Amino acid sequence: MSQPTADVGLIGLAVMGQNLILNMNDHDFVVCAYNRTTSKVDHFLENEAKGTKVIGAHSVEEFCSKLKRPRKIVILVKAGSAVDNFIEQLVPHLEQGDIIVDGGNSHFPDTIRRCEDLEKKGILFVGSGVSGGEEGARYGPSLMPGGNPKAWEHIKPIFQAIAAKAPDGAPCCDWVGETGSGHYVKMVHNGIEYGDMQLICEVYQIMKEGLGLSEDEMACVFEDWNNGDLDSFLIEITRDILKFKDTDGKPLVEKIRDTAGQKGTGKWTGIDSLDRGIPTTLIGEAVYSRCLSSLKDERVRASKILAGPKDAKYNGDKKQFLDQLGQALYAAKIVSYAQGFMLMRQAAKDYGWKLNYAGIALMWRGGCIIRSVFLGKIKDAYNNNPQLENLLFDPFFQEAIAKAQDGWRHVISQAVVLGIPTPALSTALNFYDGLRHEKLPANLLQAQRDYFGAHTYELLDNPGKAVHTNWTGRGGDVSASTYMA
Ligand code: 2AM
């Protein structure tokens, strides 16, 4: 048999897979392509990959035989059983130390399981978040690889070469951590993306309904914001969307049915945060907002019968209000990222991952949908203090919120008066105010629980000791651990 010639193999020739191959080829790696439907291999070699160094295979065995050792195999197929099927087909043709990277949208518990199963067989498994869509895959995605750490030195040159580059030239790809951490971080990234998008949508609704701005006027505001602290891909595309006219000269965005779709990664983040007991409230509200949007028919009926405030127009100084709106957006965004990093920190504790938070911010700095200047500040915060307990404790962000909070509070109070929904902007403020309260009313809550369920409480001056009170003077004073209320 001839000598293996490919530096890396890729399975799955949908657009993402094809583009990633072409990207690797641009960086002088020889790639071997394979796909379940093998006719797609030939089609790819004769069309998109014509004139490149890409080679193909028509069976898993042939594919494995063409890869240099240790083999580096990237799987980019539909998440779920297709990934397991391919792993099963590959393993008999692999040797100790060979590497399988799942670059699909796998749910992290699957990645943890696959990593552990394959480690027993001597195969190094990596689950890598890939963000940036088709364009990113072709010209520079954000890559978030995590799994068996022994794989990193082998895949690093390829991954960092093809990844997006931050403005300072640093690749938007670094080692995330152990087992399922790469896919976990990608999941949180998607949740944060939901939050960023929802925040922008809320300020759009305030500008439209509350201030009565036209789409072109709003585009100018987004343009301004994009030249400052809010500089980001999502603000930039929002500006362009608002400017975009349909063939009749009217803004296309206003003709789009207001029901949001979702593929589920935001929901995964929300569910995971509930499981872990971390209040990522902004992502939760972003998911619920999409749910509420899709109840269009019910909302149409509700709009005709449910009362709201009489006047829905803001009467104050519009220019000043727009500044405050920018402050509200910025402050809420800081809170959202703080919540996302709190969640990752808890998951790292739960799974024993050593996550590199500055590296994560850097990986999101370019290539992906949430890329922004702001992520550079988060990277700085974790570089300055890798043990940072909460992003909001970083001096830069402390001060940023301190400066923005008056505007933020004004915007939310006005939105409430005008009856304009601001679930994400408001939950961020509620979280912020909750976090900065040394004392919350959970003392009363504990008393209630003890009253009706004998669940016991602790005293401020004696934490750790369970106390039960016979609140009514009736019944016994046994606690819930001894009887079911
Ligand atoms: P196909 O071209 O043979 O359909 C995106 O759908 C990619 O995932 C495609 O490369 C597709 O292969 C692959 N894929 C989807 N379901 C699969 C399965 N059950 N087994 C193997 N590959 C699958």
Side-chain angles (χ1 to χ4, degrees), residues 11-14 35-37 40 76-78 81-82 85-86:
I11 299 177
L13 290 180
N35 192 64
R36 172 182 63 175
T37 311
K40 287 192 189 166
L76 258 175
V77 299
K78 199 161 162 255
S81 58
N85 285 344
F86 268 120

Side-chain angles (χ1 to χ4, degrees), residues 78-250:
K78 199 161 162 255
S81 58
V83 178
D84 289 310
N85 285 344
F86 268 120
I87 291 174
E88 220 171 282
Q89 288 180 53
L90 285 165
V91 166
H93 305 288
L94 300 184
E95 293 159 50
Q96 299 274 317
D98 283 349
I99 297 158
I100 301 178
V101 181
D102 172 17
N105 287 320
S106 295
H107 197 195
F108 73 94
D110 289 334
T111 307
I112 294 177
R113 167 178 59 77
R114 289 170 186 144
C115 196
E116 287 170 353
D117 287 354
L118 285 167
E119 182 164 18
K120 288 181 207 137
K121 297 178 179 149
I123 309 293
L124 314 180
F125 187 72
V126 173
S128 180
V130 177
S131 178
E134 293 167 5
E135 179 86 3
R138 180 67 186 86
Y139 299 108
S142 160
L143 296 170
M144 300 156 239
N148 195 316
K150 288 186 214 141
W152 180 229
E153 62 174 301
H154 301 288
I155 60 170
K156 184 176 173 179
I158 304 176
F159 272 51
Q160 293 198 332
I162 64 168
K165 305 293 177 294
D168 65 358
C172 296
C173 170
D174 203 348
W175 186 245
V176 174
E178 299 84 346
T179 65
S181 59
H183 276 136
Y184 188 86
V185 163
K186 171 63 170 36
M187 177 189 79
V188 176
H189 160 282
N190 285 25
I192 288 178
E193 180 181 312
Y194 272 55
D196 278 357
M197 293 168 75
Q198 175 62 25
L199 286 171
I200 291 175
C201 290
E202 289 177 16
V203 298
Y204 153 73
Q205 189 170 17
I206 293 172
M207 284 195 265
K208 191 170 167 59
E209 265 185 57
L211 304 182
L213 297 194
S214 70
E215 283 65 25
D216 284 333
E217 286 169 323
M218 288 189 265
C220 287
V221 177
F222 279 100
E223 168 81 32
D224 268 1
W225 287 345
N226 204 41
N227 292 324
D229 295 336
L230 287 162
D231 181 349
S232 63
F233 173 71
L234 281 169
I235 295 279
E236 188 183 316
I237 66 163
T238 304
R239 174 200 66 194
D240 295 344
I241 290 168
L242 287 165
K243 275 198 227 160
F244 194 94
K245 305 288 188 295
D246 200 1
T247 43
D248 60 3
K250 301 215 171 93

Side-chain angles (χ1 to χ4, degrees), residues 161-376:
I162 64 168
K165 305 293 177 294
D168 65 358
C172 296
C173 170
D174 203 348
W175 186 245
V176 174
E178 299 84 346
T179 65
S181 59
H183 276 136
Y184 188 86
V185 163
K186 171 63 170 36
M187 177 189 79
V188 176
H189 160 282
N190 285 25
I192 288 178
E193 180 181 312
Y194 272 55
D196 278 357
M197 293 168 75
Q198 175 62 25
L199 286 171
I200 291 175
C201 290
E202 289 177 16
V203 298
Y204 153 73
Q205 189 170 17
I206 293 172
M207 284 195 265
K208 191 170 167 59
E209 265 185 57
L211 304 182
L213 297 194
S214 70
E215 283 65 25
D216 284 333
E217 286 169 323
M218 288 189 265
C220 287
V221 177
F222 279 100
E223 168 81 32
D224 268 1
W225 287 345
N226 204 41
N227 292 324
D229 295 336
L230 287 162
D231 181 349
S232 63
F233 173 71
L234 281 169
I235 295 279
E236 188 183 316
I237 66 163
T238 304
R239 174 200 66 194
D240 295 344
I241 290 168
L242 287 165
K243 275 198 227 160
F244 194 94
K245 305 288 188 295
D246 200 1
T247 43
D248 60 3
K250 301 215 171 93
L252 177 60
V253 67
E254 302 310 332
K255 300 184 179 181
I256 297 176
R257 195 164 184 261
D258 51 326
T259 55
Q262 47 180 319
K263 283 195 181 161
T265 39
K267 185 177 85 176
W268 283 351
T269 318
I271 293 171
D272 184 74
S273 73
L274 288 170
D275 283 342
R276 262 174 242 296
I278 298 296
T280 50
T281 62
L282 197 140
I283 295 174
E285 285 293 357
V287 177
Y288 285 134
S289 296
R290 291 194 188 194
C291 300
L292 182 59
S293 81
S294 45
L295 303 176
K296 173 80 178 174
D297 295 343
E298 198 170 331
R299 286 191 290 113
V300 170
R301 286 189 291 278
S303 70
K304 300 198 165 59
I305 53 173
L306 298 185
K310 276 203 185 64
D311 192 7
K313 284 274 176 289
Y314 182 68
N315 294 318
D317 180 335
K318 276 191 195 176
K319 174 140 190 2
Q320 190 188 16
F321 191 83
L322 286 170
D323 286 343
Q324 292 166 325
L325 202 54
Q327 288 161 8
L329 184 54
Y330 190 53
K333 188 170 158 118
I334 295 172
V335 168
S336 180
Y337 282 69
Q339 292 182 343
F341 276 79
M342 282 169 76
L343 183 60
M344 291 190 286
R345 202 177 146 93
Q346 186 59 43
K349 247 187 231 164
D350 294 347
Y351 295 114
W353 296 332
K354 290 179 287 300
L355 295 187
N356 163 12
Y357 300 103
I360 292 167
L362 171 65
M363 281 177 256
W364 297 349
R365 175 74 185 80
C368 59
I369 305 296
I370 63 171
R371 62 182 180 263
S372 64
V373 169
F374 168 83
L375 276 158

Side-chain angles (χ1 to χ4, degrees), residues 433-446:
D433 282 335
L435 185 67
R436 55 173 203 87
H437 262 70
E438 183 183 336
K439 220 172 161 201
L440 286 171
N443 50 336
L444 175 58
L445 197 127
Q446 284 298 84

